[in-house]
Amino acid sequence: MNEDTPGAGGGAGPGTVRPGGRTARVREAVLRAAGDALVERGFGGVDLAEVARRAGVGKTTVYRRWGTVPVLVADMLAEMAESSQPRADTGSLDGDLAALAGLILGTLTDERQGPLFKAVIATATGDGPTAEALHRFYRVRITEWAPCVDLAVERGEIPAGTDPAEVIRSLSAPLYYRLLASGDPLDAAAAKRAAAATAVAARAGVFVSAA
Amino acid sequence: MNEDTPGAGGGAGPGTVRPGGRTARVREAVLRAAGDALVERGFGGVDLAEVARRAGVGKTTVYRRWGTVPVLVADMLAEMAESSQPRADTGSLDGDLAALAGLILGTLTDERQGPLFKAVIATATGDGPTAEALHRFYRVRITEWAPCVDLAVERGEIPAGTDPAEVIRSLSAPLYYRLLASGDPLDAAAAKRAAAATAVAARAGVFVSAA
């Protein structure tokens, strides 16, 4: 609750605490408080001073390090991208797609992450910087998981020229569609169907780049 | 701009105007004004009195007929479902799916309907009655287009037991995912790929109901 703790935002914290450790803890506490506020009250209800108070962090630290709510939400998405699970390597496209579908399902049905994604996506529909941060999040995830597709090409499971980004989007889309639009159950059957449909279409060459 | 025009909300309008015609025109004007307000300022910015003013309709008419903003948004979705184009019947599953993908693409990229869908979906993430109205909208669309799938089963193009709802969701999802989440281009190539992936998966039996 210290206002203006020297260096708290810059990673040069004083005393016995390692600077990196303290900076990381401040970020974690602030992003958690921001996420709570976003889920509870939506984008318009997020207030930096209130986030600082909830996080037990000096207000000036939050203003100096993040400055605005869109920057805070963008950092939250960056943190989610950093901390998401690494890609699977099961040795088959079917196995890898099932693993990724399970990971997405787990995220979207998680009692905290699910509402957080809904809130961030709702915000992104009306706020350019949040939309950009959201799109960056998906690009990071695609980069992380693209090797699954490249390896499937190398193993001869799917045609050369298959676009990894299209495969991963095809797998993700049905689960997001249920969460955001249709409201149909987000369950293991839906994840399994998304993986099966994507695998069949990938084998048939649907995701081969036109270029 | 008449306040309290007798019967204006009930379809029993006085004078030379046919009742049905006047009621329909009032609804059209009010829903258009509500859509404008929703796109411009989001759910929280929709005000019934302001909608009435913009629509050139008595405030009491709007309060009596719709009462609350969620009811107004629900009626907007009902009107969109009613007025959406009837299903295609091209004689093949590929043709019908391409037609529906083109229809969805046209809606989501329309300069009015696209932002309206974004605004309604953003609202639905935080408002139960709007979410219910949105889900109802997709159920209506699925009912309208389901015969395309049933006819494909009859023609022997896809296996018996294929669930029409799953086919239509699979076709819709990649386009909504681009609009709402990933921000990737919503173009003819995306629509074509969605239709092709869905057709291949349908032929392979991915959408056969477990029951």
Side-chain angles (χ1 to χ4, degrees):
Chain A
M1 298 293 269
N2 304 318
E3 207 62 16
D4 260 323
T5 305
T16 56
V17 182
R18 285 179 303 115
R22 169 153 172 78
T23 300
R25 279 201 310 281
V26 165
R27 184 184 182 214
E28 192 190 332
V30 168
L31 295 185
R32 171 157 285 273
D36 290 344
L38 192 63
V39 168
E40 283 166 26
R41 282 175 296 180
F43 190 68
V46 179
D47 173 74
L48 292 190
E50 163 75 3
V51 165
R53 196 191 58 71
R54 282 196 190 205
V57 167
K59 201 163 67 176
T60 311
T61 298
V62 173
Y63 279 104
R64 194 184 297 140
R65 181 153 170 190
W66 288 278
T68 67
V69 174
V71 171
L72 193 53
V73 173
D75 195 36
M76 195 188 309
L77 282 162
E79 197 275 333
M80 285 160 86
E82 287 159 23
S83 65
S84 72
Q85 285 180 253
R87 74 176 171 85
D89 188 3
T90 65
S92 76
L93 181 68
D94 286 341
D96 288 357
L97 292 182
L100 180 52
L103 178 67
I104 297 167
L105 177 69
T107 300
L108 299 185
T109 58
D110 180 87
E111 64 178 22
R112 179 176 165 85
Q113 304 259 331
L116 200 51
F117 264 94
K118 275 190 169 183
V120 168
I121 289 169
T123 302
T125 63
D127 180 73
T130 301
E132 187 38 54
L134 185 66
H135 302 162
R136 201 159 44 234
F137 172 83
Y138 293 111
R139 287 197 297 272
V140 170
R141 288 283 288 249
I142 283 173
T143 303
E144 170 70 22
W145 284 79
C148 296
V149 177
D150 295 328
L151 288 167
V153 171
E154 280 174 33
R155 287 188 300 257
E157 292 186 77
I158 55 177
T162 298
D163 181 349
E166 287 299 338
V167 173
I168 293 163
R169 285 175 198 134
S170 167
L171 183 68
S172 310
L175 302 173
Y176 277 87
Y177 180 72
R178 284 165 184 260
L179 178 76
L180 299 167
S182 77
D184 299 298
L186 257 174
D187 55 17
K192 198 175 157 186
R193 208 179 293 111
T198 299
V200 165
R203 282 190 204 103
V206 171
F207 305 121
V208 172
S209 313
Chain B
M1 300 292 270
N2 304 318
E3 205 65 12
D4 260 322
T5 306
T16 56
V17 182
R18 286 178 303 116
R22 168 153 173 79
T23 300
R25 279 201 308 282
V26 165
R27 184 184 183 215
E28 192 190 334
V30 168
L31 295 185
R32 170 157 286 272
D36 290 343
L38 192 62
V39 168
E40 283 165 26
R41 281 175 298 181
F43 190 67
V46 180
D47 174 75
L48 291 189
E50 163 74 4
V51 165
R53 196 191 58 72
R54 283 195 188 205
V57 167
K59 200 162 66 175
T60 311
T61 298
V62 173
Y63 279 104
R64 194 186 296 140
R65 182 153 171 192
W66 289 278
T68 67
V69 173
V71 171
L72 192 53
V73 173
D75 195 36
M76 196 188 309
L77 281 163
E79 197 276 333
M80 286 161 85
E82 286 159 24
S83 65
S84 71
Q85 284 180 253
R87 75 176 171 85
D89 188 3
T90 65
S92 77
L93 181 68
D94 286 341
D96 287 357
L97 292 182
L100 180 52
L103 179 66
I104 297 167
L105 177 68
T107 300
L108 298 186
T109 57
D110 180 85
E111 65 178 21
R112 181 177 165 84
Q113 305 257 332
L116 200 51
F117 264 94
K118 275 190 169 184
V120 168
I121 289 170
T123 302
T125 62
D127 181 73
T130 301
E132 187 37 55
L134 184 66
H135 303 163
R136 199 158 47 236
F137 171 83
Y138 292 111
R139 287 197 296 272
V140 170
R141 288 283 288 249
I142 283 173
T143 304
E144 169 69 22
W145 284 80
C148 295
V149 177
D150 295 329
L151 288 168
V153 171
E154 280 174 32
R155 287 188 299 258
E157 292 187 76
I158 55 177
T162 298
D163 181 349
E166 286 299 338
V167 174
I168 292 162
R169 284 175 199 134
S170 167
L171 183 68
S172 310
L175 302 173
Y176 277 87
Y177 180 71
R178 283 166 186 260
L179 179 76
L180 299 167
S182 76
D184 300 298
L186 258 173
D187 54 17
K192 200 175 156 187
R193 209 179 293 112
T198 299
V200 165
R203 282 190 203 103
V206 171
F207 305 121
V208 172
S209 313

